[in-house]
Amino acid sequence: GAGVSQTPSNKVTEKGKYVELRCDPISGHTALYWYRQSLGQGPEFLIYFQGTGAADDSGLPNDRFFAVRPEGSVSTLKIQRTERGDSAVYLCASSQRTGYQETQYFGPGTRLLVL
Amino acid sequence: QKEVEQNSGPLSVPEGAIASLNCTYSDRGSQSFFWYRQYSGKSPELIMSIYSNGDKEDGRFTAQLNKASQYVSLLIRDSQPSDSATYLCAVKRSGNTGKLIFGQGTTLQVKP
């Protein structure tokens, strides 16, 4: 079946602008995660949704970052007043069930460049 | 100290050799451990998961877990040039949050 999809694949924006990144999880997956990966580093957790609600948003770096998942499927990560330091690959992952044996499947990512 | 630590490498091995990748973690409450492979410019792909002490084998891959030493390793037997990638160790703590804590990754180069 189809995997996790993310759009756009690349986004170039100017400092101070607003951006939205979209994630479409695997059908039927109730858990959805956003991570951010900088060059040469491992992914860094941002936020976790179980259904429509954010179960853990402890990784959001500041209040410029916000994410929603209104119908429990597609999620949008929103970044206000972008800064050059926000440049990274934003990865979305989904899983069918939670618990210690949960497997997260990653999408291809959105490469964000803030000029 | 980072919560999950890996040697960034690169680790270079000849084709056909065994590649050994190591990872240590600091949270004793961690209960699930994963190895992801990431090719350059691509997203992470799960290759192994391990939850209890000991070895777990899947084809050419063996994951090893020692919770007392807070140590996880991945062995790749008969390494192939196609195994050249960055290998990410990820750890999940106990509790309700499903977030993964990743190491910085080890770059493996398999030379023909």
Side-chain angles (χ1 to χ4, degrees):
Chain A
V4 179
S5 62
Q6 292 186 245
T7 55
S9 53
N10 291 281
K11 177 70 176 179
V12 180
T13 191
E14 294 179 343
K15 180 175 178 294
K17 299 290 188 182
Y18 168 83
V19 296
E20 289 190 352
L21 312 179
R22 175 189 168 110
C23 172
D24 202 336
I26 294 171
S27 178
H29 281 196
T30 58
L32 185 146
Y33 301 82
W34 284 98
Y35 294 86
R36 176 170 70 173
Q37 187 173 24
S38 300
L39 196 62
Q41 302 298 315
E44 177 188 21
F45 170 79
L46 295 177
I47 188 169
Y48 155 52
F49 287 91
Q50 181 59 42
T52 60
D56 182 355
D57 65 356
S58 62
L60 295 177
N62 51 58
D63 61 5
R64 296 186 298 106
F65 288 75
F66 189 70
V68 296
R69 195 186 185 199
E71 297 179 357
S73 178
V74 170
S75 176
T76 304
L77 178 66
K78 308 180 181 192
I79 310 174
Q80 298 177 320
R81 304 183 304 280
T82 52
E83 299 178 356
R84 292 193 180 88
D86 299 335
S87 298
V89 176
Y90 288 81
L91 294 164
C92 177
S94 71
S95 68
Q96 191 169 29
R97 62 186 180 93
T98 56
Y100 78 99
Q101 293 196 7
E102 172 190 13
T103 296
Q104 295 182 25
Y105 298 91
F106 282 83
T110 293
R111 197 170 302 269
L112 176 66
L113 177 60
V114 182
L115 300 176
Chain B
Q1 180 190 7
K2 291 183 181 178
E3 190 164 345
V4 179
E5 297 215 44
Q6 297 180 254
N7 188 322
S8 61
L11 173 66
S12 183
V13 301
E15 184 175 356
I18 296 175
S20 178
L21 304 160
N22 305 314
C23 172
T24 58
Y25 60 95
S26 61
D27 185 352
R28 285 198 172 273
S30 300
Q31 57 176 184
S32 309
F33 307 87
F34 306 88
W35 284 99
Y36 282 82
R37 178 176 62 198
Q38 187 173 31
Y39 291 112
S40 182
K42 302 295 185 181
S43 60
E45 172 194 11
L46 181 69
I47 52 171
M48 289 288 287
S49 58
I50 187 165
Y51 310 108
S52 56
N53 281 328
D55 294 1
K56 179 181 178 183
E57 186 174 320
D58 183 0
R60 296 186 296 112
F61 299 96
T62 298
Q64 300 175 317
L65 174 60
N66 183 326
K67 289 186 177 180
S69 300
Q70 296 173 240
Y71 179 89
V72 194
S73 66
L74 179 70
L75 301 178
I76 307 175
R77 289 181 299 281
D78 188 23
S79 295
Q80 301 297 308
S82 60
D83 294 326
S84 298
T86 295
Y87 290 80
L88 296 162
C89 173
V91 171
K92 183 186 294 188
R93 300 173 183 155
S94 60
N96 292 329
T97 181
K99 69 182 180 185
L100 295 175
I101 311 297
F102 284 87
Q104 70 178 84
T106 298
T107 299
L108 173 66
Q109 297 174 345
V110 181
K111 298 194 172 179

